[in-house]
Amino acid sequence: MPKRTTDGGSGTPKRNRNGTAATPASSPGSKRTLDFFFTNRSLNNSPVDRKPYQEKAENGNEIADEELARKLQAQFDAEYHELNQNNTARQLVQDPEHTTIFDNTGVSNSEADTLKISESDISVAETVDCGVRPPSPSKEVALIPTAAIYGSIATIDFTVSPPKFDPIEHLTALKRLIPAPYLLLTHLFTQVDATRSRIKIINGLTNFIRLLMLLDKSAITSAVWLSTNSIGPPYTALELGIGGSILSKALKTVSGISAPALKSLYDKYGDIGDVAFEAKVSVRTLVDPPRLSIKGVYDTLLQIAVAKGSKSQELKQKLVEKLLIRGRGEEVRYLTRTFVQHLRIGAVRTTMLTALARAFTFTEYGPDCAQDKLQKAEEIVRQCYARHPNYNDIIAGLLVSGVEKLAESCPMTLHIPILPMLGSITKDMSEMLVKIGNEHTEFACEFKYDGQRAQIHYDESGKISIFSRHLDLMTDKYPDIVDVLQSHRVILDSTRSFILEGEIVAVNEVTGALGSFQSLSNRGRKDVQIASISVTVCLFAFDLMYLNGESLLDVPFRTRRELLRSSFAPVPHKFAFAESIDATPLDQDAISTFFRSSIESKCEGIMVKLLDSIAATTTASTRRTKSLLSTYTPDLRRESWLKVKKDYDSAADSLDLVPIGGWYGNGRKSNFWSPVLLAVRDPDTGVFQAVCKCMTGFTDAMYKETKAKYDEGTINVTRLKPADFETPLTPEYYWVPQEVWEIKFADVTLSPLYPAAQGIISDRGLSIRFPRFIRKRDDKGVDEASSPAFLAELYQRQQSRGAEDQDDLYEQFY
Ligand SMILES: Nc1ncnc2c1ncn2[C@@H]1O[C@H](COP(=O)(O)OP(=O)(O)OP(=O)(O)O)[C@@H](O)[C@H]1O
């Protein structure tokens, strides 16, 4: 690659009359480069002692400059490399975005000397192919990443098994690339994108993190957020808010493409990332813009997310343009998919947590470490996430203490929601009695309220945070709950801090009669003012996970409930403990009566909760031996929490499905989407598997809302099937997955057509008959949609119910 020089500020290559790069008669360049090298801010905190090098440099004369520079640099590099292998040095090498060091053979470059290099300077500098060592007789002593170093990224195979991946070897090739370049991450994305193998995806992420741990630890968190298609934990409510209009304007500006050409590219490719790639690929710039770094991209996304106010749309567009201008090739594709939050590279939460656990374990114990060590590490990291779902803190904890002490370095923390414990379904009362243990097992039956689950945090300063089941912060939605808690009528004096869980339910303020879920959903969502509240609510507390500085997660439910009852005082129609009775399987009459009273009170049924852990018990009917824990297990669906719903005796449970496509309706519905293609989501791969078409249960308002959201020409729809969709049917448009719908149905059937849960029950997939839309599940994200395994479980449960029940079912529906 030809060398280019710059005049130090303008970015214009300086050339002599022959058109070749100018070389000055004298050679102060190397000397200045050395001075610069040794006064570089990024070296100030270096663990490598610069003094000996500096002294030698100062003793050098003009003539020996170049050789001296080379020698010193080589020594310095060797020392740096050794340190880097020990994970200690990471700021020594120049940052191509801020502190690129280059010298232009004596051309005045005062900006460079003060480290304030303009973007245009860097652009030119980065295209200088001066290599790690400058070729003689040039005076350039450049510490610039070369094209060759960037080129070496393409040779890395991240998806090989960890013992076959040597991060040191790659580090050697990449040593000048700090901060870690975005190209490295997009190279990983292309590799994991190209496979459906979960093992390869995990290997890819694991090896990538291993490499970053040596190359640039500060980029790990950014890389993890970018890979998981998010920019922060759900409770921070950080959203990019890059709509179709911002994106298409930015693409037009950056690529010069016309609106019709953009549309025809979209029609051709169907994926906005592919469109952007194609639009940008032919763009040639006189001067290559500076390369993107992983952290730089993430930080810019944060700026986009926090942009507020009247000018925010313009600012967002500018920032999007900035990234797109600097992106090259595959970077543009993945940047754009990131803008629309549809990266779909299979780096789902469980995969990412596994990769983090493995990367840190391999780095500590070597890539051949024992399998049980890995499994234990995975368990620790998963548990940590369930108690503290924030990658920033988890990665900081891992870096500080390693995996084994992660629970201490990243503990459960007030005002950071824990993932909710989940209940297992039962088909009816008798199945519940079998599942819960033997005839002596004591359990609590509680009303299963039909409202919104809430996790409430309270600290010693009196601060209150209320989180939804989906971990969204919704304190603003319930100022009346905050008010009743802060009035000190509910929280007893001895209660200084807590995390409690309960269901917020609409109630009649005067009688206390429970209202429906529908009436609760009529409340405002944000910044609700107490004076304007028309739907009054009561909080029915049912669990306590933290009290006065102590976690209660490992405490049995009986004790947690005692502590709950002794730490708070009920206030009529505002704060109550969940209605409950204690029972054993011998109290069937009492349980049935309680169940009926729950239905009469407009509840969905009952929750049955084990009071004390059972070491190992043999259930009477199945003769199965099992142990059951009555501790609070975040994010786990355990049989110590059982749901018995009123519908179970008559019809199947509902599914939480993701709408992934739509066809144009007929007649009255011709302007709307009907039917809609629905899918379950595989939590291990992030793939959406089609399960049925649904055209029943929608209100006119819902038709309108759906049409507006998934309108043609928006980035929410695409003609081409996204890679993470499995569907044999081709809807008019595929929809970008972004919401969850609760769907009722008559029964689950084996399907020769649909791929959902294929391979779990048989080599055929499963579908549902007579699907009916019930409601949108705003409290669930797509990653909490029903899984293929859950669908298969429903099928099996239904099979065991017997054929005669099926006839009843159809009658109920028709
Ligand atoms: N007493 C109670 N104990 C626990 N949960 C309760 C109680 N009363 C109401 N609930 C609600 O019941 C929900 C669990 O049942 P359900 O299957 O209806 O909800 P889901 O959100 O679809 O399922 P899941 O939460 O299990 O994924 C809880 O998330 C909670 O909101």
Side-chain angles (χ1 to χ4, degrees):
M1 196 175 166
K3 276 179 231 159
R4 283 202 262 159
T5 59
T6 177
D7 64 359
S10 67
T12 313
K14 179 129 180 169
R15 300 192 169 259
N16 61 21
R17 254 179 262 154
N18 303 328
T20 52
T23 307
S26 64
S27 55
S30 310
K31 180 74 173 77
R32 197 177 52 249
T33 302
L34 282 171
D35 291 344
F36 181 47
F37 177 62
F38 291 120
T39 52
N40 184 347
R41 269 200 310 237
S42 70
L43 304 179
N44 284 348
N45 300 324
S46 152
V48 177
D49 184 2
R50 285 179 297 131
K51 217 165 154 213
Y53 296 99
Q54 193 153 14
E55 275 166 15
K56 284 184 207 158
E58 278 159 10
N59 292 336
N61 59 38
E62 291 278 310
I63 299 154
D65 255 345
E66 183 189 332
E67 213 182 315
L68 179 65
R70 288 183 190 208
K71 235 164 118 183
L72 294 176
Q73 199 179 334
Q75 286 171 11
F76 186 89
D77 280 354
E79 198 171 342
Y80 160 69
H81 185 57
E82 202 178 310
L83 279 164
N84 214 358
Q85 288 190 358
N86 293 333
N87 288 344
T88 49
R90 73 164 188 260
Q91 293 195 341
L92 307 181
V93 177
Q94 290 58 51
D95 166 344
E97 289 186 8
H98 312 295
T99 62
T100 303
I101 295 177
F102 60 98
D103 175 71
N104 293 297
T105 62
V107 178
S108 163
N109 194 345
S110 55
E111 286 185 355
D113 287 345
T114 54
L115 285 175
K116 286 194 185 115
I117 307 169
S118 73
E119 285 209 342
S120 55
D121 287 332
I122 300 172
S123 316
V124 175
E126 286 186 354
T127 64
V128 175
D129 189 19
C130 49
V132 177
R133 301 279 89 75
S136 183
S138 161
K139 294 284 180 188
E140 291 167 321
V141 180
L143 299 172
I144 310 160
T146 65
I149 295 178
Y150 277 105
S152 71
I153 290 176
T155 64
I156 306 176
D157 184 356
F158 285 112
T159 62
V160 295
S161 75
K164 291 197 184 130
F165 185 87
D166 181 4
I168 307 273
E169 180 197 313
H170 298 299
L171 179 73
T172 312
L174 297 173
K175 63 181 174 173
R176 300 212 169 274
L177 291 185
I178 290 182
Y182 185 58
L183 183 68
L184 198 64
L185 186 64
T186 51
H187 181 58
L188 167 78
F189 288 171
T190 51
Q191 293 191 340
V192 294
D193 221 357
T195 180
R196 275 288 170 87
S197 155
R198 183 153 182 263
I199 299 290
K200 283 196 169 180
I201 297 175
I202 293 177
N203 285 349
L205 293 166
T206 305
N207 291 329
F208 183 77
I209 298 166
R210 288 170 70 201
L211 181 57
L212 278 194
M213 285 172 76
L214 299 184
L215 180 70
D216 182 3
K217 283 181 193 150
S218 69
I220 298 177
T221 319
S222 308
V224 167
W225 288 121
L226 290 171
S227 308
T228 50
N229 216 6
S230 46
I231 45 171
Y235 56 89
T236 55
L238 275 177
E239 275 181 27
L240 288 174
I242 301 173
S245 131
I246 291 184
L247 197 48
S248 64
K249 275 189 207 153
L251 274 174
K252 279 186 257 170
T253 310
V254 167
S255 66
I257 197 169
S258 67
L262 198 62
K263 183 169 183 321
S264 78
L265 275 184
Y266 196 68
D267 289 342
K268 181 169 174 200
Y269 292 102
D271 173 279
I272 190 74
D274 296 346
V275 170
F277 176 86
E278 287 300 323
K280 178 88 199 296
V281 80
S282 51
V283 175
R284 293 273 170 269
T285 48
L286 214 53
V287 171
D288 279 337
R291 306 291 315 221
L292 293 166
S293 70
I294 296 173
K295 198 162 174 315
V297 169
Y298 176 71
D299 289 347
T300 310
L301 293 179
L302 282 183
Q303 285 179 39
I304 292 174
V306 299
K308 295 270 169 324
S310 57
K311 293 255 184 257
S312 65
Q313 296 302 301
E314 285 143 63
L315 179 59
K316 279 175 198 265
Q317 187 186 324
K318 284 256 157 347
L319 291 168
V320 166
E321 282 169 15
K322 189 178 146 195
L323 289 175
L324 286 175
I325 286 170
R326 293 175 60 178
R328 302 180 200 183
E330 290 299 327
E331 292 178 330
V332 175
R333 195 192 310 276
Y334 289 104
L335 274 174
T336 312
R337 288 186 184 162
T338 296
F339 295 149
V340 297
Q341 304 268 274
H342 191 198
L343 194 60
R344 47 159 221 255
I345 55 156
V348 291
R349 192 207 328 153
T350 42
T351 309
M352 181 50 83
L353 294 174
T354 307
L356 275 171
R358 290 187 186 183
F360 277 82
T361 310
F362 286 136
T363 303
E364 193 169 349
Y365 297 100
D368 297 311
C369 78
Q371 196 60 30
D372 58 347
K373 207 171 237 339
L374 281 181
Q375 273 167 4
K376 180 137 188 284
E378 287 164 24
E379 177 63 22
I380 291 172
V381 175
R382 265 200 300 272
Q383 267 200 18
C384 176
Y385 186 92
R387 288 155 174 73
H388 194 126
N390 185 338
Y391 287 121
N392 294 336
D393 301 339
I394 293 174
I395 293 165
L398 284 168
L399 287 169
V400 166
S401 71
V403 178
E404 272 146 40
K405 297 227 169 90
L406 184 61
E408 288 156 43
S409 56
C410 184
M412 183 171 156
T413 305
L414 279 175
H415 305 295
I416 293 182
I418 58 178
L419 267 54
M421 177 170 176
L422 304 170
S424 297
I425 49 167
T426 55
K427 72 172 191 263
D428 55 24
M429 202 75 77
S430 53
E431 192 192 38
M432 178 277 285
L433 293 172
V434 169
K435 276 192 168 171
I436 197 72
N438 61 31
E439 62 269 30
H440 306 298
T441 310
E442 287 184 57
F443 50 84
C445 300
E446 294 177 353
F447 277 12
K448 184 177 185 311
Y449 296 94
D450 193 10
Q452 178 166 29
R453 187 166 181 166
Q455 192 183 112
I456 301 181
H457 293 227
Y458 176 87
D459 67 24
E460 301 209 0
S461 74
K463 179 180 169 189
I464 291 175
S465 303
I466 307 180
F467 299 99
S468 73
R469 182 198 181 292
H470 187 44
L471 312 188
D472 292 325
L473 185 64
M474 52 174 193
T475 320
D476 284 359
K477 185 178 174 185
Y478 293 111
D480 38 355
I481 300 269
V482 173
D483 187 56
V484 74
L485 291 172
Q486 278 177 340
S487 68
H488 296 291
R489 284 184 291 161
V490 171
I491 303 169
L492 299 183
D493 286 347
S494 56
T495 307
R496 299 184 306 278
S497 59
F498 63 82
I499 301 176
L500 78 68
E501 214 173 23
E503 191 86 350
I504 298 176
V505 188
V507 292
N508 180 311
E509 205 175 2
V510 182
T511 63
L514 302 180
S516 65
F517 175 82
Q518 268 67 28
S519 49
L520 182 68
S521 55
N522 288 333
R523 261 177 88 109
R525 273 153 209 253
K526 283 204 170 116
D527 296 328
V528 173
Q529 302 301 314
I530 292 194
S532 65
I533 291 173
S534 56
V535 181
T536 48
V537 295
C538 178
L539 172 66
F540 291 92
F542 55 72
D543 217 319
L544 187 65
M545 293 90 91
Y546 182 96
L547 181 66
N548 296 339
E550 300 283 334
S551 163
L552 300 180
L553 295 183
D554 295 329
V555 171
F557 181 55
R558 189 190 292 276
T559 314
R560 296 204 306 278
R561 195 182 60 172
E562 271 164 27
L563 289 169
L564 175 70
R565 290 177 178 173
S566 60
S567 304
F568 301 89
V571 171
H573 312 161
K574 293 199 184 302
F575 180 95
F577 300 120
E579 197 69 40
S580 81
I581 58 165
D582 289 356
T584 71
L586 302 177
D587 304 319
Q588 291 189 21
D589 288 346
I591 300 170
S592 294
T593 308
F594 185 72
F595 183 82
R596 274 197 301 279
S597 76
S598 82
I599 305 299
E600 282 157 14
S601 304
K602 295 220 182 83
C603 288
E604 286 187 302
I606 57 171
M607 296 292 297
V608 174
K609 299 177 180 178
L610 195 66
L611 283 165
D612 310 291
S613 296
I614 306 173
T617 184
T618 306
T619 54
S621 52
T622 62
R623 315 305 310 162
R624 269 195 310 149
T625 301
K626 61 178 182 182
S627 57
L628 280 177
L629 292 175
S630 70
T631 51
Y632 190 99
T633 51
D635 201 30
L636 291 181
R637 208 175 279 288
R638 282 268 161 86
E639 292 198 351
S640 46
W641 262 37
L642 296 174
K643 306 184 263 194
V644 189
K645 292 193 192 176
K646 62 172 177 237
D647 294 335
Y648 285 179
D649 295 327
S650 57
D653 194 15
S654 61
L655 282 163
D656 294 325
L657 301 178
V658 179
I660 60 162
W663 287 263
Y664 297 120
N666 289 322
R668 192 178 75 82
K669 297 180 194 166
S670 61
N671 277 333
F672 302 117
W673 295 122
S674 178
V676 174
L677 185 62
L678 299 170
V680 289
R681 179 180 174 274
D682 185 337
D684 291 334
T685 58
V687 169
F688 296 89
Q689 301 174 345
V691 67
C692 69
K693 289 199 275 187
C694 178
M695 54 197 300
T696 315
F698 301 115
T699 59
D700 283 357
M702 182 64 184
Y703 277 127
K704 281 185 195 146
E705 191 187 319
T706 312
K707 177 66 177 139
K709 183 183 261 177
Y710 302 102
D711 206 1
E712 294 111 307
T714 68
I715 52 170
N716 286 335
V717 300
T718 160
R719 287 268 188 204
L720 295 190
K721 188 167 84 168
D724 54 348
F725 285 12
E726 277 179 15
T727 168
L729 301 178
T730 309
E732 203 65 48
Y733 280 98
Y734 295 96
W735 297 359
V736 174
Q738 53 197 288
E739 58 184 315
V740 176
W741 292 357
E742 184 175 351
I743 302 291
K744 284 245 178 196
F745 51 90
D747 61 349
V748 187
T749 55
L750 283 173
S751 167
L753 185 63
Y754 287 99
Q758 200 163 21
I760 300 184
I761 301 291
S762 75
D763 53 4
R764 286 200 278 167
L766 296 174
S767 184
I768 51 176
R769 283 160 48 98
F770 314 124
R772 184 158 41 98
F773 173 83
I774 301 298
R775 59 173 160 154
K776 276 170 56 168
R777 288 293 308 254
D778 288 329
D779 58 334
K780 283 196 171 183
V782 290
D783 50 352
E784 285 148 310
S786 297
S787 65
F790 179 70
L791 179 65
E793 189 187 329
L794 288 187
Y795 176 79
Q796 274 165 333
R797 210 147 48 80
Q798 167 195 292
Q799 292 309 96
S800 68
R801 191 163 24 185
E804 68 277 18
D805 286 358
Q806 300 299 314
D807 298 336
D808 292 343
L809 275 178
Y810 300 146
E811 273 164 29
Q812 308 245 352
F813 262 78
Y814 291 96

